[in-house]
């Protein structure tokens, strides 16, 4: 991170008081700010209602995996809980109103308020197509194309039966039953990871939901959603120690992580922030209600404009993600819409309070910071897993040598360790001074008298060098 980028990031984090949001932890506060902004984007209407100034649709949305107790706790309390409360209030209001309409209908002569248009423009177009009568205004092909591009006008009954925009499940196996009654657009799916098997169990349905190929009903409709996974116990680290096809789907996520995996936020941000975190939480709640209102509004949605044109930075962002791809496979897709999502979410919060402001340069700095931290966390986890594996191999080889099995070929055969791994492990053991090559036979290894292997206190410099090369 160069000085200019660091200054831009510091300015943004100071403006939104991330130190106060994180209760003194800058990284947790940054994760919460990103979680709030991206959630607003994930809940926004996805029917081309969010546009650039020239009317071109802007793509929003990103799936998040929050790892760590502090960040998970704050995001659950301030983001998920607030979203769930609004969904519950909406459902109760709709149920109460529906019951009143039913009661009115049962009373002779009682007036029943309209609950939706009797006939919408799309209904008229479809009727003309099916009538077989040619229109002087368009061909049937043009009419079908128009129907394919727009949603039919909704009635109150549609909202009453499909009000859900947040999906939560106590267990992974309950997820399918909760994907019902969904509001138009992508649902926000929140799941807590309680055991390592949850990640593997989610692999197939999770990837299908993120990619938009999760079937609903007869399969004519498919569901595409954005996830917010919370992992307070950092079970992600445990799963990464034994990576396989069941955990590869996590490449669809942007990771928001606690800890010091790096890079670190500008350290003097805490000294410059004097704004109470509660103010930003209040702004988020007001912005959340506004975004959900746009999502559930029965009338035609008014276009919402991004306050910054992210297209000018799109090329730079694509190049950056391409460079980060080897460090975090999948990030080019997972974070593709990150600049748009942050601009939208932060912009909605700024609308609540004109005192706040930000620039596209600052958003780009935050985007790069989040992706770099995610990649660093992944590399750290992978290195820890590899280091644990190599340490276990070294210990097994050492025990064989101590117990009198000295031949290289026999040790590899008895431990199922390949020769390349054996040579690397035994090279470190030799450099550590606990084994030596036999003078009588070069393929034999002997324990150095008076020494003992203590892996807990040992550093493995050769192993670390090999990991850096990988």
């Amino acid at each position: 991170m160069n000085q200019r980028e660091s200054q831009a990031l510091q300015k943004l984090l100071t403006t939104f008081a991330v130190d106060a949001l994180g209760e003194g932890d800058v990284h947790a506060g940054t994760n919460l700010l990103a979680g709030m902004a991206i959630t607003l984007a994930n809940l926004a209407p996805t029917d081309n209602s969010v546009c650039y100034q020239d009317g071109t649709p802007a793509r929003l949305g990103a799936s998040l995996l929050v790892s760590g107790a502090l960040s998970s706790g704050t995001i659950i309390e301030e983001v998920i809980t607030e979203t769930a409360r609004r969904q519950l209030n909406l459902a109760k209001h709709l149920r109460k109103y529906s019951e009143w309409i039913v009661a009115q209908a049962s009373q002779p002569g009682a007036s029943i308020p309209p609950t939706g248009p009797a006939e919408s423009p799309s209904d008229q177009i479809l009727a003309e197509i099916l009538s077989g009568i040619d229109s002087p205004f368009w061909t049937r092909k043009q009419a079908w194309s128009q129907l394919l591009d727009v949603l039919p006008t909704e009635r109150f009954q549609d909202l009453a039966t499909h009000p859900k925009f947040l999906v939560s499940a106590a267990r992974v196996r309950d997820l399918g039953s909760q994907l019902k009654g969904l509001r138009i657009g992508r649902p926000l799916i929140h799941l807590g990871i309680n055991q390592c098997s949850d990640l593997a169990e989610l692999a197939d349905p999770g990837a299908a939901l993120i990619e938009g190929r999760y079937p609903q009903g007869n399969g004519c409709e498919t569901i595409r959603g954005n996830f917010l996974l919370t992992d307070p116990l950092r079970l992600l680290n445990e799963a990464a120690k034994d990576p396989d096809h069941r955990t590869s789907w996590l490449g669809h996520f942007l990771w928001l992580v606690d800890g010091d995996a790096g890079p670190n936020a500008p350290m003097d941000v805490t000294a410059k922030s004097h704004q109470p975190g509660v103010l930003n939480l209040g702004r988020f709640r007001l912005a959340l209600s506004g975004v959900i209102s746009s999502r559930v509004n029965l009338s035609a949605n008014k276009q919402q404009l991004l306050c910054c044109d992210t297209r000018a930075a799109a090329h730079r962002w694509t190049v950056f993600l391409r460079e980060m791809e080897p460090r975090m496979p999948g990030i080019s897709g997972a974070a593709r819409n990150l600049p748009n999502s942050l601009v939208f979410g932060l912009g909605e919060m700024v609308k609540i309070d004109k005192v706040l402001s930000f620039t596209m340069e600052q958003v780009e700095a935050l985007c790069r910071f989040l992706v770099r931290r995610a990649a660093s966390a992944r590399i750290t986890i992978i290195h820890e897993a590899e280091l644990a594996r190599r340490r276990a191999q070294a210990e097994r080889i050492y025990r064989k040598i101590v117990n009198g099995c000295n031949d290289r070929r026999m040790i590899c055969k008895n431990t199922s360790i390949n020769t390349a791994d054996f040579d690397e492990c035994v090279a470190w053991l030799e450099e550590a001074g606990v084994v030596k090559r036999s003078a009588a036979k070069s393929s034999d290894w002997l324990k150095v008298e008076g020494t003992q292997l203590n892996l807990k206190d040992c550093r493995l410099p050769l192993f670390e060098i090999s990991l850096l090369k990988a």
Side-chain angles (χ1 to χ4, degrees):
M1 185 185 302
N2 58 42
Q3 184 176 5
R4 179 172 178 175
E5 186 176 343
S6 178
Q7 290 174 346
L9 176 61
Q10 177 183 314
K11 177 64 176 177
L12 182 68
L13 299 185
T14 304
T15 297
F16 286 91
V18 297
D19 54 318
L21 286 177
E23 300 176 354
D25 189 305
V26 176
H27 297 127
T30 303
N31 290 341
L32 177 56
L33 177 65
M36 292 191 299
I38 294 171
T39 296
L40 291 174
N42 287 342
L43 292 173
T46 52
D47 58 350
N48 297 339
S49 295
V50 180
C51 305
Y52 296 105
Q53 297 291 331
D54 61 3
T56 304
R59 305 302 180 192
L60 305 179
S63 289
L64 302 176
L65 192 159
V66 185
S67 184
L70 183 54
S71 289
S72 293
T74 54
I75 286 179
I76 288 174
E77 289 178 2
E78 304 300 342
V79 176
I80 296 300
T81 300
E82 289 297 321
T83 304
R85 182 169 68 87
R86 284 158 177 76
Q87 177 167 276
L88 178 60
N89 290 344
L90 173 64
K92 288 183 175 180
H93 287 306
L94 292 173
R95 183 169 60 248
K96 184 177 179 180
Y97 187 68
S98 298
E99 291 171 352
W100 178 77
I101 289 179
V102 172
Q104 286 291 97
S106 65
Q107 300 177 13
S111 62
I112 302 176
T115 58
E119 187 176 43
S120 68
S122 57
D123 293 331
Q124 296 174 9
I125 295 172
L126 183 59
E128 289 190 24
I129 294 173
L130 299 180
S131 70
I133 301 174
D134 292 331
S135 170
F137 304 104
W138 52 57
T139 65
R140 293 188 188 182
K141 183 178 180 180
Q142 290 172 330
W144 278 118
S145 296
Q146 185 171 350
L147 285 179
L148 294 175
D149 288 339
V150 299
L151 287 167
T153 304
E154 285 192 292
R155 303 168 301 163
F156 164 75
Q157 291 89 335
D158 299 320
L159 176 59
T161 55
H162 296 81
K164 190 183 294 186
F165 45 83
L166 173 67
V167 175
S168 296
R171 299 170 298 179
V172 173
R173 65 178 68 98
D174 298 330
L175 179 60
S177 63
Q178 294 299 318
L179 293 170
K180 298 177 180 178
L182 298 179
R183 185 79 186 120
I184 293 171
R186 300 181 193 178
L188 175 60
I189 303 168
H190 171 243
L191 288 172
I193 303 302
N194 300 311
Q195 50 192 358
C196 288
S197 59
D198 288 345
L199 292 171
E201 195 173 344
L202 262 174
D204 290 335
L209 283 164
I210 290 176
E211 295 170 358
R213 51 184 175 83
Y214 190 95
Q216 185 179 40
N218 61 4
C220 182
E221 297 181 45
T222 56
I223 304 172
R224 185 178 185 184
N226 292 305
F227 273 88
L228 200 165
L229 295 185
T230 47
D231 174 27
L233 302 180
R234 292 193 177 186
L235 297 176
L236 171 67
N237 296 29
E238 295 299 318
K241 291 178 181 179
D242 187 23
D244 56 23
H245 65 282
R246 296 170 300 172
T247 55
S248 62
W249 75 288
L250 296 176
H252 290 289
F253 290 79
L254 172 66
W255 299 1
L256 302 180
V257 294
D258 282 341
D260 55 358
N264 294 323
M267 295 305 295
D268 58 348
V269 66
T270 54
K272 294 187 177 182
S273 176
H274 305 291
Q275 187 178 171
V278 68
L279 291 180
N280 280 321
L281 295 177
R283 294 174 185 126
F284 167 71
R285 291 166 188 165
L286 291 173
L288 182 63
S289 294
V291 168
I292 294 174
S293 297
S294 298
R295 180 80 172 259
V296 302
N297 191 7
L298 286 173
S299 61
N301 286 317
K302 182 180 178 181
Q303 285 188 340
Q304 297 173 272
L305 302 179
L306 287 186
C307 58
C308 296
D309 193 331
T310 61
R311 290 174 294 185
H315 177 70
R316 293 191 298 273
W317 184 238
T318 300
V319 170
F320 172 76
L321 291 180
R322 190 186 305 127
E323 293 171 350
M324 297 299 295
E325 186 71 23
R327 298 179 60 191
M328 192 167 193
I331 195 62
S332 295
R336 177 174 177 267
N337 296 328
L338 183 59
N340 287 5
S341 300
L342 288 176
V343 165
F344 177 83
L346 296 177
E348 292 299 301
M349 295 172 66
V350 167
K351 289 179 185 177
I352 304 300
D353 191 343
K354 301 297 184 181
V355 174
L356 298 179
S357 64
F358 62 90
T359 65
M360 190 63 215
E361 182 183 15
Q362 293 170 4
V363 173
E364 285 188 75
L366 177 59
C367 289
R368 292 171 186 266
F369 175 73
L370 294 174
V371 169
R372 285 179 179 133
R373 276 189 62 82
S376 295
R378 178 183 178 275
I379 290 173
T380 299
I381 292 171
I382 290 175
H383 281 197
E384 288 177 347
E386 178 67 8
L387 186 58
R389 185 177 75 86
R390 291 302 177 89
R391 282 184 171 181
Q393 288 179 333
E395 189 172 17
R396 289 159 61 198
I397 291 170
Y398 179 75
R399 284 202 303 266
K400 288 293 183 182
I401 294 174
V402 169
N403 292 331
C405 183
N406 308 114
D407 180 68
R408 174 178 182 265
R409 185 178 64 82
M410 289 303 299
I411 294 175
C412 290
K413 180 179 179 181
N414 293 339
T415 59
S416 298
I417 296 174
N418 64 49
T419 55
D421 286 349
F422 174 89
D423 290 341
E424 191 168 2
C425 289
V426 81
W428 175 80
L429 292 172
E430 182 181 29
E431 185 170 322
V434 294
V435 301
K436 63 182 180 179
R437 193 184 297 271
S438 170
K441 187 178 179 183
S442 61
S443 61
D444 284 0
W445 291 87
L446 306 173
K447 177 181 180 294
V448 174
E449 296 297 328
T451 64
Q452 186 175 358
L453 180 64
N454 183 356
L455 288 176
K456 182 178 180 181
D457 297 330
C458 284
R459 291 180 58 83
L460 309 182
L462 293 180
F463 292 173
E464 290 174 358
I465 291 172
S466 68
L467 288 171
L468 290 174
K469 288 180 180 178

